[in-house]
RNA sequence: GCCCUCGUAGCCCAAUCGGCAGAGGCAGGCGACUUAAAAUCGCCCGAGUGCGGGUUCGAGUCCCGUCGGGGGCACCA
């Protein structure tokens, strides 16, 4: 076979050789090293920053799993590489690299399974990734490829933690400030202490507590998500809506445990409001807004019957307060103990008591059951409302009616005030509960015509049954009623308008080994102290057993236990924190794996810096507001010019990273107030999987396909199999790797194929047999430049034919536009089209071939470099200016004008592009085919869109 | 249940502002080259846009409804 093959054909073997050669060339020359404005790389690689504009782009850095990459993973990486290369050809200084997120649960679990140290497996996995990716020719600045497990990196992760720890959120200033300012505020009395006491009257411990209460990173005992099967607590964001952990699907229980938290809730408003300043997909903005869940309403206090105390509730429907016929507290609510009497009030409905002799027994029993329920179980018995009467009554502040107070787990402690006023007539959940417990309802909004009388009414309407001797809401619409009643409540001291959020503080502790240690030690009194910068990093110690203590997944009463707690020699440490050497105890929890990814984009700008997490000048150069694509944009927050990644990080990583970024901004450490100015979500490459009659997965690449369309039959070893569509993975036996593709076709072909499959943001199925199309394109391009038999240059210096020249400029114009919109698939189509014309004419003028090679360079860089060199250029094509379209050549000499009668095409005429409407109309009126189809019909109207269309309306 | 997306040829996908439904690729067919096959080259084939309404001179595109795929949220008061 190979004897007959032309010697200089662009075969996979030749492609592979070319690719390796250029990859070495780039490596050797530091071609992709980006210069910084200051520091060691102020002059770098091929150039200094000069007065070139900058462009910073990146992928969401990968978490290297043991399985290596399949063809779906590099999709985003290839896309960003195309953009990076395109931007370089536009003359921009481009910051583009790829680091590794490498602390965290999966690495640890994998290490536990294989009995190896997580560092070893993690580093091996990273090596595998680097090897696989190197083969693709990605133009990363490899000097900037940070790894979160590197102590030189996590030193600064820990340092940022201490900065957050040493900060508080000043609501009046609307930003974070150093903790010293808080102490000064407490001292001067301009900031009230939590207890309201004078600073001077507080003991040292009370003062410390007052400061701790305001820190942005704080330790507290609060209900957290405890997953016994995982042996650690997890953040709210890491619990799926089934109430299972995102990693491993373990049940989650609510437990009160002392844990480190991040006060992300202080930033709720800014995290929502600043979404208006970034260029992100609306869907991701919607997800974040929804997650933060800002809702406007009122806090209303219901006095307790026979007591001076009251219960504060949060409601978004204060207008319905006249219909509040009972109240519900969350089972964990602090007031429950104080309000619950010893005995049931006279004539208590037996349905309310849970069968208990007295309220205290009923409440205790209900609380026990509720606390043992995992989130999953709460989901499962969904609509069935449960609860018990506390024995206490409150007073509806507008009706004066006594209303019974219940506890029920459909009210959550973590939201609002953990207490509600229940309005069965206007809330379906309250309706269900009221129905079950025989509680009354009063309609306060007139339901719309035809409303089912046996349900709550949540629609709009006019208020009814809502008046007392001081106020009447009757006849008002809902919005008007809300405003009126809030004003009334405020006037009478019973309530006020307020805003509540679904977002809760970020649970930052993990009882795991494989994470950043906290830079925190405790003194003999148990008070926490931050480790000063000079003693960072706090390195992760070696331990004999790094696996966490896990439990039966259902064992709700188990307690988390950190692996670092076993490193006894490490835990006890003597330090001088400024007041002489003392013995301290280290924090043994570690940070969640999100910590390292909260600020890596900043580190990319100056990764070799040992003095600072990033030089201020570097951060400002690459990420500052009004720079790069933010130039000329009003209110630009700065940040990475383009960030590409999957939508699955919409709340986790992207919310946390924004939060840290804003804290650093507030503290004056950085100039940008958002980390990622523009976000793009790439789609996924999915794959078909096949199962036999027993439901067993069979290898997808051995399945035979016959027939077309709905009649297609799939067989494996002659037996019919069924097809399904889903993720690529080992268990589905449908994995295709980039390594296979590079071996079979070459990296350039693989890159072009991935980019040509469809729009980047859409998911699509992988189809190996279609890859050959991309190979044919590159092969034809090669053949247009180089004689396959002799290896000689085939290009001629003749001027191209006029129509070829025009096509070239249309192509340049279109490709530029497509690259700008990340529409690589249409750009490739245009390049193929131009190349096919060259193939067909059999003659390749240099003035067409060179721009074609240049335009192909971002997509198939190795091939382009090789052809560029063959064309006689010594320099890398990397920085050669991208072709410019000549506007004069974009203007067509003639345009085909469509002549329609009643919207139907009747004729096409060639006209000048500059033809005026009147002239075109006349041409259409006189057109023979038009006259024919018009017959004797009257012309009613003529729509002229010169020069492309005329539509004659007749009747 | 609510929200967001996508439905165009056998398959993957194009179609600026509403203006000729087709740029490109795969598969398929025919031909050239070949002893033959593969590869290569040339030519060809193909849908009225999931379905039903509406707006408009004109709808794949806008609006309403509906069905199907994918994703997010869900006792959040």
């Amino acid at each position: 076979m190979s004897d007959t093959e032309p010697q200089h054909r662009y075969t996979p073997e030749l492609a592979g050789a070319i690719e390796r050669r250029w990859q070495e060339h780039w490596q050797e020359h530091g071609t992709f090293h980006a210069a910084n404005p200051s520091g060691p790389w102020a002059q770098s690689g091929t150039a200094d920053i000069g007065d070139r504009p900058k462009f910073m782009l990146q992928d969401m850095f990968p978490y290297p799993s043991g399985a290596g990459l399949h063809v779906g993973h590099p999709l985003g990486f290839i896309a960003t590489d195309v953009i990076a290369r395109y931007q370089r050809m536009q003359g921009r200084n481009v910051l583009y690299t790829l680091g590794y997120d490498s602390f965290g649960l999966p690495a640890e679990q994998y290490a536990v399974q294989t009995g190896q140290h997580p560092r070893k497996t993690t580093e091996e996995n990273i090596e595998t990734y680097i090897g696989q990716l190197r083969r693709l020719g990605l133009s990363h600045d490899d000097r900037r490829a940070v790894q979160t497990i590197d102590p030189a990196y996590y030193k600064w992760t820990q340092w940022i933690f201490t900065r957050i720890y040493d900060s508080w959120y000043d609501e009046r200033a609307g930003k974070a400030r150093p903790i010293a300012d808080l102490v000064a505020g407490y001292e001067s009395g301009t900031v009230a202490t939590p207890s309201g006491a004078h600073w001077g009257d507080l003991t040292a411990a009370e003062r410390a507590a007052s400061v701790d209460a305001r820190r942005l990173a704080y330790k507290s005992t609060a209900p957290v998500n405890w997953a016994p099967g995982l042996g650690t607590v997890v953040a709210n964001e890491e619990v799926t809506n089934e109430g299972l952990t995102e990693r491993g699907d373990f049940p989650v229980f609510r437990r009160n445990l002392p844990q480190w938290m991040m006060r992300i809730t202080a930033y709720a408003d800014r995290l929502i409001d600043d979404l208006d300043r970034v260029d992100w997909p609306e869907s991701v903005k919607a997800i974040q807004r929804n997650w933060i869940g800002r809702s406007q309403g009122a806090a209303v206090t219901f006095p307790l019957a026979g007591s001076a105390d009251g219960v504060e509730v949060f409601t978004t429907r204060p207008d319905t307060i006249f219909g509040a016929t009972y109240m519900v507290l969350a089972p964990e609510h602090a007031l429950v103990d104080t309000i619950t009497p010893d005995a049931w009030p006279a004539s208590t409905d037996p349905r309310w008591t849970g069968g208990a002799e007295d309220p205290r027994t009923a409440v205790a029993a209900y609380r026990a059951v509720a606390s043992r329920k995992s989130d999953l179980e709460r989901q499962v018995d969904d609509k069935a409302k449960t609860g018990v009467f506390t024995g206490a009554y409150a007073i509806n502040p507008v009706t004066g009616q006594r209303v019974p107070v219940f506890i029920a787990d459909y009210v959550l402690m973590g939201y609002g005030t953990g207490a509600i006023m229940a309005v069965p007539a206007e809330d379906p959940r309250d309706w269900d509960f009221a129905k079950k417990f025989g509680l009354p309802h009063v309609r306060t909004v007139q339901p719309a015509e035809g409303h089912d009388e046996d349900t709550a009414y949540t629609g709009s309407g006019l208020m009814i049954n809502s008046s007392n001797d001081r106020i009447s809401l009757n006849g008002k619409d809902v919005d008007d009623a809300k405003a009126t009643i809030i004003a009334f409540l405020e006037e009478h001291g019973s309530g006020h308008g307020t805003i509540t959020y679904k977002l809760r503080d970020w649970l930052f502790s993990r009882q795991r080994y494989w994470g950043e240690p906290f830079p925190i030690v405790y003194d003999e009194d148990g008070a926490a102290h931050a480790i000063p910068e000079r003693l960072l990093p706090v390195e992760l110690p070696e331990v004999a057993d790094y696996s966490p203590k896990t439990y039966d997944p259902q064992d709700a009463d188990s307690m988390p236990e950190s692996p670092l707690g076993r490193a006894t020699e490490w835990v006890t440490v003597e330090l001088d924190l400024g007041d002489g050497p003392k013995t301290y105890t280290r924090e043994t929890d570690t940070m969640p794996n999100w910590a390292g990814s909260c600020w890596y984009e900043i580190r990319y700008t100056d990764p070799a810096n040992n003095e600072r997490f990033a030089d201020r000048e570097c951060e400002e150069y690459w990420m500052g507001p009004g720079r790069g694509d933010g130039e000329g944009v009003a209110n630009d927050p700065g940040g990475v010019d383009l960030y590409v990644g999957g939508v699955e990080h919409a709340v986790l990583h992207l919310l946390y990273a924004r939060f840290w970024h804003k804290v650093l901004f507030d503290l004056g450490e950085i100039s940008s107030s958002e980390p990622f100015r523009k976000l793009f979500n790439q789609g996924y490459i999915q794959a078909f999987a096949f199962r036999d009659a027993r439901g067993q997965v069979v290898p997808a690449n051995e399945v035979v396909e016959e027939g077309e369309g709905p009649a297609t039959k799939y067989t494996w070893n002659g037996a019919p199999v069924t097809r399904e569509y889903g993720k690529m993975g080992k268990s589905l036996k449908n994995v295709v790797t980039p390594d296979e593709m590079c071996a079979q076709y070459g990296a350039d072909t693989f890159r072009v194929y991935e980019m040509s499959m469809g729009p980047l943001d859409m998911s699509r199925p992988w189809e190996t047999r279609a890859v050959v199309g991309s190979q044919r394109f590159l092969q034809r391009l090669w053949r247009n430049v180089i004689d396959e038999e002799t290896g000689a240059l085939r290009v001629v210096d003749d001027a191209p034919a006029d129509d070829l020249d025009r096509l070239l400029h249309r192509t340049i114009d279109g490709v530029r536009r497509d690259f700008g919109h990340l529409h690589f698939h249409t750009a490739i189509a245009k390049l193929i089209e131009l190349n096919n014309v060259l193939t067909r004419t059999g003659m390749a003028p240099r003035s067409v071939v060179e721009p074609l090679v240049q335009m192909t360079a971002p997509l198939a860089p190795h091939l382009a470099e090789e052809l560029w060199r063959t064309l006689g250029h010594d320099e890398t094509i990397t920085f050669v200016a991208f072709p410019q379209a000549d506007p004069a050549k974009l203007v067509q000499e003639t345009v085909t004008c469509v002549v329609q009668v009643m919207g139907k095409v009747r004729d096409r005429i060639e006209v000048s592009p500059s033809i005026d409407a009147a002239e075109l109309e006349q041409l259409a009126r006189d057109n023979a085919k038009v006259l024919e189809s018009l017959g004797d019909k009257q012309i009613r109207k003529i729509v002229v869109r010169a020069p492309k269309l005329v539509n004659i309306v007749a009747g």
Side-chain angles (χ1 to χ4, degrees):
Chain A
M1 181 211 284
S2 54
D3 350 319
T4 58
E5 193 156 78
Q7 280 213 322
H8 299 273
R9 171 164 292 177
Y10 183 72
T11 59
E13 293 75 31
L14 181 60
I18 291 170
E19 286 160 7
R20 275 172 229 284
R21 181 148 40 80
W22 279 102
Q23 283 159 20
E24 275 165 35
H25 176 97
W26 296 328
Q27 174 91 40
E28 204 178 301
H29 291 79
T31 307
F32 309 122
H33 290 182
N36 266 0
S38 65
W41 303 336
Q43 180 89 32
S44 185
T46 41
D48 64 13
I49 64 172
D51 45 15
R52 290 182 295 163
K54 68 92 192 185
F55 191 78
M56 179 173 180
L57 82 167
Q58 67 189 59
D59 296 277
M60 290 184 186
F61 65 170
Y63 189 94
S65 76
L69 295 166
H70 61 63
V71 290
H73 292 117
L75 182 68
F77 303 159
I78 295 171
T80 48
D81 186 58
V82 175
I83 300 159
R85 290 174 180 276
Y86 176 61
Q87 293 290 351
R88 287 190 194 99
M89 295 179 83
Q90 303 266 53
R92 300 227 208 172
N93 187 27
V94 174
L95 172 38
Y96 177 52
T97 189
L98 187 73
Y100 289 91
D101 185 18
S102 35
F103 270 132
L105 280 176
E108 189 178 289
Q109 284 166 329
Y110 181 73
V112 169
Q113 277 165 27
T114 59
Q116 298 173 80
H117 195 285
R119 177 172 296 282
K120 182 164 182 288
T121 56
T122 302
E123 284 173 352
E124 283 169 5
N125 292 347
I126 290 176
E127 275 315 306
T128 306
Y129 268 54
I130 288 176
Q132 284 184 294
L133 290 175
R134 184 162 32 223
R135 187 66 188 81
L136 302 181
L138 304 175
S139 61
H140 296 137
D141 182 345
D142 50 6
R143 303 169 307 169
R144 298 177 189 256
V146 302
Q147 299 183 6
T148 57
I149 56 170
D150 182 354
Y153 181 87
Y154 72 68
K155 169 184 176 175
W156 298 108
T157 309
Q158 292 173 334
W159 177 82
I160 294 170
F161 178 88
T162 64
R163 296 290 282 134
I164 297 171
Y165 175 76
D166 281 328
S167 303
W168 61 295
Y169 199 83
D170 182 349
E171 268 85 22
R172 283 175 294 187
K175 64 174 202 170
R177 293 173 61 189
I179 211 80
D181 294 358
L182 176 67
V183 175
Y186 279 157
E187 275 169 359
S188 67
T190 53
V191 180
T193 59
S195 63
H198 285 292
W199 181 253
D201 298 340
L202 298 179
T203 65
E206 286 168 340
R207 288 181 178 183
S210 302
V211 171
D212 287 350
R214 301 293 300 269
R215 290 182 189 275
L216 286 183
Y218 62 99
K219 199 162 191 183
S220 83
T221 301
V224 295
N225 309 297
W226 164 236
L230 213 49
T232 185
V233 296
V234 294
N236 295 324
E237 291 81 359
E238 293 170 291
V239 180
T240 65
N241 54 22
E242 284 85 32
L244 300 172
T245 58
E246 201 176 48
R247 298 270 185 209
D249 286 342
F250 290 106
V252 165
F253 298 87
R254 290 250 146 208
R255 289 285 304 277
N256 274 305
L257 296 167
Q259 300 287 324
W260 282 98
M261 308 289 290
M262 289 262 172
R263 206 178 300 280
I264 190 170
T265 50
Y267 283 84
D269 278 322
R270 279 165 65 191
L271 288 170
I272 287 188
D273 295 340
D274 281 356
L275 287 172
D276 296 335
R277 299 169 66 194
V278 292
D279 181 6
W280 284 19
E282 278 307 316
S283 59
V284 175
K285 290 186 180 185
I287 290 171
Q288 289 214 347
R289 284 192 191 104
N290 189 333
W291 186 264
I292 297 167
R294 177 159 64 189
S295 60
Q296 198 111 30
V300 185
T301 301
F302 280 55
L304 285 160
S307 158
D309 289 339
V311 181
E312 191 179 60
V313 302
F314 173 74
T315 178
T316 55
R317 293 293 303 274
D319 55 299
T320 63
I321 190 167
F322 283 89
T325 53
Y326 68 100
M327 295 183 74
V328 185
L329 305 187
E332 306 91 349
H333 198 286
L335 270 179
V336 173
D337 287 326
T338 50
I339 64 172
T340 305
D342 294 325
W344 294 118
S347 67
T348 293
D349 190 315
R351 284 172 290 186
W352 297 4
T353 64
E357 288 298 311
D358 61 89
R360 292 189 179 279
T361 312
V363 164
Y366 186 78
R367 281 178 149 180
V369 171
S371 73
R372 291 191 58 84
K373 248 193 215 176
S374 68
D375 285 16
L376 176 61
E377 286 162 325
R378 291 190 190 211
Q379 291 284 335
V380 169
D381 18 82
D382 210 11
K383 290 284 182 277
K385 295 282 181 294
T386 61
V388 290
F389 180 40
T390 61
Y393 282 88
I395 310 292
N396 182 319
V398 293
T399 65
Q401 297 263 324
R402 272 159 59 92
V403 293
V405 180
F406 287 76
I407 60 171
D409 64 4
Y410 83 93
V411 173
L412 310 173
M413 192 58 230
Y415 184 76
T417 60
I420 62 160
M421 64 175 205
V423 187
E426 275 91 33
D427 185 296
R429 296 154 301 185
D430 297 343
W431 179 278
D432 292 344
F433 190 89
K435 190 135 179 116
K436 180 165 172 185
F437 288 87
L439 291 155
H441 72 269
V442 179
R443 297 228 180 253
T444 60
V445 179
Q446 179 62 52
E449 195 88 12
H451 176 73
D452 179 359
E453 261 308 308
D454 198 28
T455 60
Y457 178 72
T458 56
S460 59
L462 299 180
M463 304 305 297
I464 53 173
N465 300 324
S466 296
S467 69
N468 59 27
D469 47 12
R470 292 168 296 167
I471 186 173
S472 174
L473 303 179
N474 291 340
K476 294 180 185 297
D477 66 29
V478 168
D479 286 338
D480 189 8
K482 279 182 185 171
T484 306
I485 193 70
I486 287 174
F488 176 83
L489 293 169
E490 283 175 355
E491 187 187 328
H492 291 80
S494 311
H496 54 92
T498 188
I499 294 168
T500 307
Y501 305 87
K502 272 163 65 178
L503 181 72
R504 298 186 219 161
D505 278 344
W506 176 18
L507 172 58
F508 199 70
S509 293
R510 298 293 182 277
Q511 289 74 42
R512 306 294 291 206
Y513 173 71
W514 195 231
E516 298 88 348
F518 279 80
I520 290 287
V521 290
Y522 300 95
D523 63 24
E524 54 203 16
D525 301 322
H529 299 268
I531 307 264
E533 182 181 336
R534 68 188 154 83
L535 296 176
L536 296 178
V538 176
E539 291 210 40
L540 195 56
E542 294 304 317
V543 291
D545 179 11
Y546 42 76
S547 55
K549 186 161 170 62
T550 57
Y551 300 86
D552 182 315
Q554 299 297 337
D555 185 1
D557 296 326
S558 51
M559 285 290 286
E561 187 185 294
S562 299
L564 290 186
R566 294 174 220 145
T568 45
E569 289 184 16
W570 176 82
V571 170
T572 305
V573 60
E574 186 162 293
L575 295 172
D576 182 352
L577 297 182
D579 48 359
K582 283 188 185 173
T583 303
Y584 295 92
T585 309
R586 291 190 190 277
E587 170 61 61
T588 56
D589 284 351
T590 53
M591 299 188 198
N593 60 323
W594 308 105
S597 58
C598 273
W599 71 284
Y600 74 116
E601 69 287 349
I602 303 171
R603 190 66 179 169
Y604 276 171
T605 66
D606 192 19
N609 198 327
N610 292 323
E611 307 299 315
R612 230 180 105 77
F613 71 115
D615 185 79
R616 177 76 203 229
E617 207 180 334
C618 292
E619 184 275 334
E620 190 160 4
Y621 172 77
W622 290 110
M623 301 179 71
R627 300 186 44 76
D629 280 357
E631 207 176 313
V633 175
N635 205 22
D636 176 53
V640 174
D641 293 292
L642 178 65
Y643 193 36
V644 175
V647 72
E648 72 271 18
H649 292 113
V651 282
L652 291 157
H653 160 59
L654 287 171
L655 200 61
Y656 299 150
R658 291 181 65 215
F659 164 51
W660 275 36
H661 205 92
K662 287 186 181 303
V663 177
L664 291 169
F665 172 75
D666 285 354
L667 297 176
E669 301 288 353
I670 51 177
S671 68
S672 47
S673 53
E674 282 284 336
F676 312 112
R677 177 188 292 116
K678 180 179 169 113
L679 174 72
F680 188 91
N681 292 124
Q682 95 254 10
Y684 300 96
I685 293 182
Q686 300 194 287
F688 293 110
F690 301 87
R691 289 179 195 276
D692 65 16
R694 294 174 308 157
Q696 296 294 308
V697 177
V698 305
N701 59 354
E702 296 170 15
V703 170
V704 178
E705 182 187 329
E706 268 174 303
E708 277 187 352
T712 312
K713 296 265 185 294
Y714 302 95
T715 54
W716 180 67
N717 286 347
V721 290
T722 55
R723 190 176 79 156
E724 57 189 65
Y725 181 55
K727 288 203 166 91
M728 213 174 250
K730 256 186 201 162
S731 59
L732 289 173
K733 296 188 180 171
N734 58 359
V735 172
V736 182
T737 66
D739 313 59
E740 295 168 57
M741 290 303 106
C742 288
Q744 263 181 63
Y745 297 99
D748 280 334
T749 295
F750 175 63
R751 290 169 59 109
V752 170
Y753 176 64
E754 289 240 336
M755 291 299 99
S756 68
M757 291 170 78
L760 191 58
D761 53 359
M762 232 203 270
S763 293
R764 52 291 184 52
W766 178 262
E767 195 182 6
T768 296
R769 75 174 168 191
V771 179
V772 68
S774 300
Q775 193 192 12
R776 284 180 192 145
F777 161 52
L778 297 183
Q779 224 166 40
R780 273 175 220 170
L781 174 59
W782 177 273
R783 199 180 294 120
N784 281 330
V785 183
I786 293 171
D787 189 300
E788 285 190 338
E789 302 294 339
T790 66
L793 192 64
R794 290 191 55 226
V795 165
V796 297
D797 287 323
D798 305 0
D802 187 57
D803 50 351
L804 177 60
D805 198 34
R806 285 177 186 280
L807 175 62
L808 169 69
H809 285 269
R810 278 204 308 279
T811 305
I812 294 169
D813 185 55
V815 166
R816 273 181 172 270
R817 203 169 40 237
D818 289 345
F819 276 174
H821 293 117
L822 279 58
H823 289 169
F824 305 116
H825 59 306
T826 51
I828 291 169
K830 291 179 176 77
L831 295 174
I832 290 175
E833 191 183 2
L834 176 61
N835 191 51
N836 284 351
V837 170
L838 284 182
T839 302
R840 216 168 294 135
T841 52
M843 197 187 68
R846 180 177 284 271
S847 62
V848 176
V849 166
E850 290 203 340
L852 176 56
V853 169
Q854 288 169 311
M855 289 189 282
T856 309
L859 297 155
H862 314 86
L863 172 86
E865 289 274 28
E866 190 71 13
L867 293 179
W868 192 244
R869 174 139 308 184
T870 308
L871 284 162
H873 304 278
D874 292 335
E875 290 299 314
T876 170
I877 200 167
T878 306
F879 304 102
V880 172
F882 204 82
Q884 294 274 2
D886 179 352
K889 292 179 179 167
L890 296 176
V891 183
Q892 303 270 27
E893 274 176 342
T894 63
V895 176
T896 306
C897 177
V898 177
V899 185
Q900 296 178 335
V901 177
M902 303 294 286
K904 291 213 161 59
V905 179
R906 292 303 177 194
D907 201 6
R908 297 182 173 86
I909 50 179
E910 292 297 314
V911 297
S912 154
S914 55
I915 190 167
D916 68 64
E919 193 183 341
L920 192 57
E921 178 177 335
Q922 198 54 51
L923 278 176
R925 280 177 181 277
D926 297 344
N927 185 279
K929 294 201 177 139
V930 168
L931 292 173
E932 187 187 325
S933 70
L934 268 180
D936 50 6
K937 284 193 212 105
Q938 248 346 68
I939 293 176
R940 285 211 318 243
K941 184 176 172 182
I942 298 187
V943 181
V944 183
R945 290 283 177 275
K948 298 196 75 171
L949 179 132
V950 180
N951 187 16
I952 298 174
V953 186

